[in-house]
Structure formats: structure tokens, C-alpha cells
């Protein structure tokens, strides 16, 4: 099949927990492939694990998908002609498919008890058989006898009948190339359990076949499942889709990504302040690249250029520093107003920060604060600490001990603060340019280096020696607050 001929792909998470990084990348690749080929992206909820699947987890997955911006064409909340899109609603469909295979002689009822299976396995070990799986004990039971035993209420499973003489199963994988499995090693595996529920390898194939899935893009931990699934496709008489098994994501220590490496669920990254576009950008590059250079990949470019032939089979490394860098690039590309509206104000409001004193927080003030903080920000919540000095009362501003020792508790600091206070008090216009113009002559007038003059002012107003430019910092703090803080700091200065 051509890569762009009626492409239909699906992302089928199991709602047994939150959507994690690996699943999110799988969803991104499926979405991007569908968009790049003009195909259809389907979201399906594989909730056949009754003990762990919950509606709450399903809602978490849907929220994460919406935050990622991965709109689906068919599935929950959207509908479609190939529903249901929850596996728990498809049990009659699976049952009908399994019974049809039995009727066609492609599957059979198995009455072996767990004890019988264990005894057969041990006997095969003692004989040192090369194959120690299911011994096909019930494979040749007369169909009428088998049906009579079922009708009598005898417990049973349904097993696929791997055709005699079936050669090697070759998975034609778009990432790994051809991968060969010995068909005899598959045994006649179970497709329906004794409790009346389908196995994963059966249910997922029935769904993929009835939904017309053409490409299955998923983690390479599913590669070992694929030969059994191919057997089911063949038994059903359904075309086998193109498989693309993408590599695992590892931590910087080379081990499988886990909680010890930091946040792992999508919503944890959202709550930490990462931008959706930046997060999708970063995850898309964990195993795929349109070229060898691009770091910032817009959502639009991803949706137009993604292809399976640029997906690497090597494990990807989740590097938090690179994620932070990319997030910073997206923040820095915002206009000051966008940064204020989408990052700064929501973060400040989420921490219930209110203006100190009479400082007016109007649109222009927020735009100035955005311009000052944006170049210094790689993660949204950082603005809270950076702007904290603006929300503290003048007499309660906390001083950083090291900054006080380095800049205030030094000879000349009091003189610098006195001169700065006088120059600033004389200003009629309180803008960054006017403030800098008033302070620029002071080092020469006092015979001091710029650091010895400006850093004590910064510590007095901010509480530490780190802040945006001196003009922007003082303009944001407001004239009355600056003068009051300079007077207070003079008590600590030498």
C-alpha cells in the first residue's frame, strides 16, 4: 500500500493510568502521519482490563490529548462510522468473530485445565522437547463433540489454529525492516479466555480490521506481539496493515524512562509550565527528524513533513535540558503581549499575587514586565520568583544574604545609594530610559565602577543581585517603592 493511499491510523491507549511520555509520542506520530498523508486519525480506548481501566483515567487521557492539540477524526466525543470506540462496548463483536473462526475451522474450543497445561509443560521439559508450549491437545477434537461439551457447560477457551506447515512469519516493519519469527513457536494461542473475554492480541486485530487501519505505529515493545496478530489477520481474511514499531524512550542514564527521571505523565509536564507546542515539538524529535539540523519544528511543519522513513530504530534519550531549551525558544518567540497574556499573568494569578502598595498593574505594566522577564525564562513558573519582589511590601522585602555581603556590606555602598536616591527623586518621568539616564553619570561622579554603584541599587530594590536591566527593574517597581527601599537598604550599607 502506498504511504498516502487512504491512510487510517489509530492511537489506542489503555485507560489503566495516565498518558505518559511514551504514549504521547506514539499519539503524536500517528497524528502527524495522518495529517502529512491526508489520512484519518482515530482515537480508540482499549479498556478491556476490567480491574484497572477506569472512566477517570479515560478522561485524563482525553484531557491530555486535547492539551497536546492532537485532534482526532474519529473516536470519543467525535463519533464515526466505525464505532464503538471503546473495547468494552465491542464484546459481542469479538465473540461473533471468534465463533465464526471456530465455524470455519480456523479456531477451536480447548478444554484443557490449568493443571493439564502445567502437566503437559513439565512433560515436554522432561522430554527436552525443542517446543514446550501448548501441545495442541484439543486441536483435533471432533467439532460436534466439542460443541456438545460447550453446550453442557464445560469450561473452555478458544484457540487460533496456526496452519500446519505455515512458514516463518515475517513482519515487514517500516522502522526495523523485515523481522522473522518461527510460526511453530507461536503455538495455538488463546483468543478467548474461559471467562468469556477476548485476549489483547485478538481484540486489537478485530478492531483494527473492522476500522480499516492501514498503518499501525506503536512502541517496539509490541513487536513480539505482532506475529500472533498477523495470524489473526490471516484467519479473519483481513489485509495486514503496515507496521512501524518505534523505539523506547530512555532516561539520560540509558535506562527505561521512569518516575526516577522526573515527570513522566503529560499532565505533569503541563502543570510544570511547559507549552503544548514546545512539548509536542520535543517529543516528535525523540526518534524522528526531518533533517539533521532542525531543533524547533512547528506543529504545521510536523503535520506536513512527518514520514516513517525518517524514524530511527535506535532508542531515544529524554533530555530535560533540551526540553527546557526548546520550551525557552517558544517562549522567546512570543510577542511581549502574548507572553504576558498566556504565561505571565496566568502564572502570577495562580499564585494569588497581588500588587504591593499603590503599584498599578495595567496592560502596559504587564507588557513591560513581560519584556523584562521573557529573555530570562525557559519555563513559565520561573516568572513567579523573578517577579516576587514586585509583590512584597517595601519593609518586608527579604534580602539575599550573599548579595548583601557582596554589595551592601562594602565601603561606598551607602554613598552610591544616597546618590541614586537623590537622582531618582528628581525625576518627573518614570520610564526605563529616564531612570538609566539619571543613573548613568553616577559611577564617574562617585569615582566607582559601575558594579559598585548599580548592584547596591539592585539589591536594595529586588533583594538580590539578579534581575532584569536596572532601568526596567526600577520602572516596574514604581518610584515611591524604589525610594523607600533605597532608604531601607542604606541602614545595611557601609
Amino acid at each position: 500500500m502506498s504511504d498516502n493511499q487512504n491512510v487510517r491510523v489509530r492511537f489506542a491507549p489503555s485507560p489503566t493510568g495516565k498518558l505518559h511520555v511514551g504514549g504521547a509520542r506514539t499519539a503524536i506520530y500517528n497524528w502527524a502521519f495522518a495529517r502529512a498523508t491526508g489520512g484519518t486519525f482515530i482515537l480508540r480506548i482499549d479498556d478491556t482490563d476490567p480491574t484497572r481501566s477506569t472512566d477517570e483515567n479515560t478522561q485524563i487521557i482525553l484531557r491530555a490529548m486535547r492539551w497536546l492539540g492532537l485532534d482526532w477524526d474519529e473516536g470519543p466525543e467525535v463519533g464515526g462510522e466505525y464505532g464503538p470506540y471503546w473495547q468494552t462496548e465491542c464484546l459481542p463483536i469479538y465473540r461473533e468473530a471468534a465463533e465464526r473462526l471456530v465455524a470455519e475451522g480456523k479456531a477451536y474450543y480447548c478444554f484443557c485445565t490449568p493443571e493439564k497445561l502445567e502437566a503437559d509443560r513439565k512433560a515436554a521439559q522432561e522430554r527436552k522437547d525443542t517446543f514446550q508450549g501448548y501441545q495442541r491437545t484439543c486441536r483435533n477434537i471432533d467439532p460436534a463433540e466439542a460443541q456438545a461439551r460447550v453446550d453442557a457447560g464445560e469450561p473452555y477457551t478458544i484457540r487460533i489454529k496456526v496452519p500446519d506447515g505455515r512458514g516463518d512469519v515475517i513482519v515487514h516493519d517500516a522502522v526495523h525492516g523485515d523481522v522473522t519469527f518461527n510460526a511453530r513457536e507461536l503455538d495455538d494461542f488463546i483468543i478467548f479466555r474461559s471467562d468469556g473475554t477476548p485476549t489483547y492480541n485478538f481484540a486489537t486485530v478485530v478492531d483494527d480490521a473492522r476500522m480499516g487501519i492501514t498503518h499501525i505505529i506503536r512502541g517496539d515493545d509490541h513487536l513480539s506481539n505482532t506475529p500472533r496478530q498477523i495470524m489473526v489477520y490471516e484467519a479473519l481474511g483481513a489485509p495486514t496493515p503496515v507496521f512501524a514499531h518505534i523505539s523506547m524512550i530512555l532516561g539520560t542514564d540509558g535506562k527505561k524512562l521512569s518516575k526516577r527521571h522526573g515527570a513522566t505523565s503529560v499532565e505533569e509536564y503541563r502543570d510544570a509550565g511547559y507549552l503544548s507546542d514546545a512539548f509536542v515539538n520535543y517529543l516528535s524529535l525523540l526518534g524522528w527528524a526531518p533533517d539533521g539540523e532542525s531543533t524547533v519544528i512547528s506543529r504545521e511543519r510536523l503535520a506536513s513533513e512527518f514520514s516513517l522513513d525518517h524514524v530511527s530504530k535506535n532508542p531515544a534519550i529524554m533530555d530535560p535540558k533540551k526540553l527546557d531549551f526548546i520550551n525557552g525558544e517558544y517562549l522567546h518567540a512570543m510577542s511581549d503581549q502574548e507572553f504576558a497574556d498566556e504565561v505571565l499573568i496566568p502564572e502570577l494569578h495562580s499564585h494569588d499575587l497581588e500588587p504591593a502598595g499603590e503599584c498599578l498593574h495595567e496592560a502596559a505594566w504587564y507588557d513591560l514586565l513581560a519584556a523584562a522577564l521573557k529573555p530570562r525564562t525557559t519555563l513559565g513558573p520561573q516568572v513567579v520568583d523573578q517577579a516576587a519582589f514586585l509583590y512584597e511590601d517595601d519593609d518586608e522585602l527579604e534580602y539575599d544574604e550573599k548579595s548583601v555581603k557582596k554589595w551592601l556590606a562594602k565601603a561606598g555602598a551607602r554613598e552610591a545609594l544616597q546618590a541614586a536616591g537623590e537622582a531618582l527623586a528628581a525625576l518627573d518621568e518614570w520610564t526605563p530610559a529616564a531612570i538609566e539616564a539619571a543613573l548613568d553619570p553616577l559611577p564617574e561622579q562617585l569615582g566607582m565602577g559601575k558594579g559598585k554603584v548599580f548592584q547596591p541599587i539592585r539589591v536594595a530594590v529586588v533583594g538580590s543581585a539578579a534581575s532584569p536591566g536596572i532601568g526596567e527593574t526600577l520602572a516596574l517597581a514604581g518610584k515611591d517603592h524604589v525610594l523607600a527601599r533605597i532608604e531601607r537598604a542604606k541602614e545595611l550599607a557601609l
Side-chain angles (χ1 to χ4, degrees):
M1 173 180 292
S2 170
D3 273 358
N4 56 5
Q5 180 181 347
N6 301 318
V7 164
R8 289 178 61 82
V9 295
R10 51 70 164 177
F11 175 56
S14 176
T16 56
K18 298 179 179 180
L19 181 59
H20 290 83
V21 167
R25 184 191 58 170
T26 298
I28 290 168
Y29 281 12
N30 277 280
W31 174 86
F33 186 66
R35 296 295 173 258
T37 57
T40 301
F41 175 52
I42 299 164
L43 177 62
R44 188 176 76 221
I45 304 299
D46 284 6
D47 56 349
T48 51
D49 184 340
T51 60
R52 299 173 59 209
S53 296
T54 67
D55 181 64
E56 180 183 0
N57 287 335
T58 298
Q59 294 306 314
I60 289 173
I61 290 170
L62 295 180
R63 283 200 305 269
M65 291 288 288
R66 286 192 291 267
W67 179 74
L68 290 168
L70 304 180
D71 55 315
W72 53 98
D73 305 304
E74 297 178 22
E77 302 177 348
V78 175
E81 60 180 305
Y82 293 91
Y85 295 95
W86 284 265
Q87 286 193 327
T88 49
E89 298 180 11
C90 300
L91 292 179
I93 296 174
Y94 307 139
R95 166 64 66 179
E96 180 183 359
E99 295 291 358
R100 177 166 62 85
L101 293 184
V102 171
E104 294 174 352
K106 297 175 181 177
Y108 59 92
Y109 299 117
C110 174
F111 304 96
C112 294
T113 64
E115 293 77 16
K116 167 66 173 171
L117 295 173
E118 177 63 16
D120 286 349
R121 186 185 65 82
K122 288 184 176 179
Q125 287 179 333
E126 291 172 359
R127 293 193 304 267
K128 296 183 179 180
D129 288 355
T130 55
F131 175 71
Q132 298 176 2
Y134 178 63
Q135 301 297 307
R136 298 183 171 181
T137 306
C138 299
R139 181 176 173 121
N140 296 315
I141 294 177
D142 180 82
E145 177 190 342
Q147 187 62 56
R149 293 171 69 175
V150 169
D151 294 341
E154 185 173 348
Y156 66 91
T157 60
I158 299 179
R159 292 180 180 271
I160 201 82
K161 185 180 287 186
V162 177
D164 286 328
R166 173 63 165 87
D168 290 340
V169 180
I170 301 176
V171 179
H172 302 291
D173 192 273
V175 175
H176 294 269
D178 287 353
V179 183
T180 302
F181 295 86
N182 186 330
R184 183 69 182 93
E185 295 299 317
L186 300 180
D187 65 33
D188 287 357
F189 54 91
I190 294 173
I191 60 174
F192 242 82
R193 304 182 186 92
S194 58
D195 64 1
T197 61
T199 60
Y200 165 77
N201 284 325
F202 185 66
T204 195
V205 172
V206 171
D207 281 335
D208 288 338
R210 71 183 179 83
M211 291 180 177
I213 301 301
T214 61
H215 296 72
I216 294 180
I217 306 170
R218 60 188 180 185
D220 62 10
D221 53 327
H222 285 285
L223 182 57
S224 60
N225 291 325
T226 307
R228 287 182 170 82
Q229 292 174 11
I230 289 176
M231 290 288 94
V232 177
Y233 279 109
E234 293 179 355
L236 292 173
T240 301
V242 175
F243 290 97
H245 289 92
I246 55 181
S247 64
M248 299 294 287
I249 299 177
L250 308 178
T252 52
D253 57 0
K255 296 181 180 179
K256 185 178 178 180
L257 197 65
S258 68
K259 202 68 177 177
R260 70 175 178 275
H261 296 106
T264 57
S265 76
V266 169
E267 290 193 323
E268 284 180 283
Y269 285 96
R270 178 202 64 190
D271 295 342
Y274 290 96
L275 299 175
S276 171
D277 285 346
F279 193 63
V280 169
N281 181 155
Y282 178 71
L283 290 188
S284 72
L285 295 177
L286 292 182
W288 170 82
D291 51 48
E293 302 175 357
S294 300
T295 299
V296 176
I297 306 289
S298 69
R299 192 182 294 268
E300 292 72 24
R301 185 180 177 191
L302 173 64
S304 64
E305 296 186 18
F306 184 86
S307 64
L308 295 176
D309 56 358
H310 282 82
V311 175
S312 172
K313 63 182 178 181
N314 298 319
I317 303 297
M318 184 80 179
D319 183 352
K321 291 182 179 179
K322 187 171 182 180
L323 172 58
D324 288 351
F325 170 79
I326 290 177
N327 199 69
E329 291 294 289
Y330 275 82
L331 290 174
H332 302 159
M334 288 181 169
S335 68
D336 294 341
Q337 184 175 351
E338 288 173 335
F339 185 83
D341 292 342
E342 299 177 24
V343 180
L344 178 62
I345 295 175
E347 287 290 349
L348 296 178
H349 285 180
S350 71
H351 287 76
D352 297 322
L353 293 180
E354 296 295 334
E358 299 175 357
C359 191
L360 296 177
H361 288 41
E362 298 176 345
W365 185 90
Y366 279 116
D367 287 347
L368 177 59
L369 181 58
L373 299 188
K374 186 174 64 174
R376 307 165 60 84
T377 304
T378 57
L379 204 56
Q382 293 171 347
V383 300
V384 175
D385 288 337
Q386 294 177 24
F389 75 96
L390 298 169
Y391 293 85
E392 296 183 23
D393 291 331
D394 299 332
D395 57 357
E396 294 181 359
L397 177 71
E398 294 186 4
Y399 296 107
D400 172 62
E401 185 177 338
K402 291 183 179 180
S403 298
V404 169
K405 184 177 181 180
K406 184 174 182 180
W407 297 111
L408 290 184
K410 291 289 182 69
R414 182 188 295 270
E415 184 181 1
L417 291 175
Q418 178 66 32
E422 293 173 356
L424 294 171
L427 287 178
D428 294 324
E429 182 183 5
W430 194 256
T431 64
I435 291 169
E436 291 175 3
L439 297 179
D440 279 348
L442 296 185
E444 184 175 349
Q445 291 175 10
L446 299 174
M448 299 180 184
K450 289 185 177 181
K452 290 188 176 182
V453 175
F454 296 145
Q455 289 299 75
I457 301 171
R458 198 184 302 272
V459 175
V461 176
V462 179
S464 73
S467 81
I470 194 74
E472 296 168 313
T473 299
L474 272 56
L476 289 164
K479 184 175 182 179
D480 291 344
H481 300 291
V482 168
L483 296 178
R485 293 181 184 190
I486 286 177
E487 283 301 311
R488 180 184 171 209
K490 284 163 60 176
E491 298 176 4
L492 301 174
L494 295 179

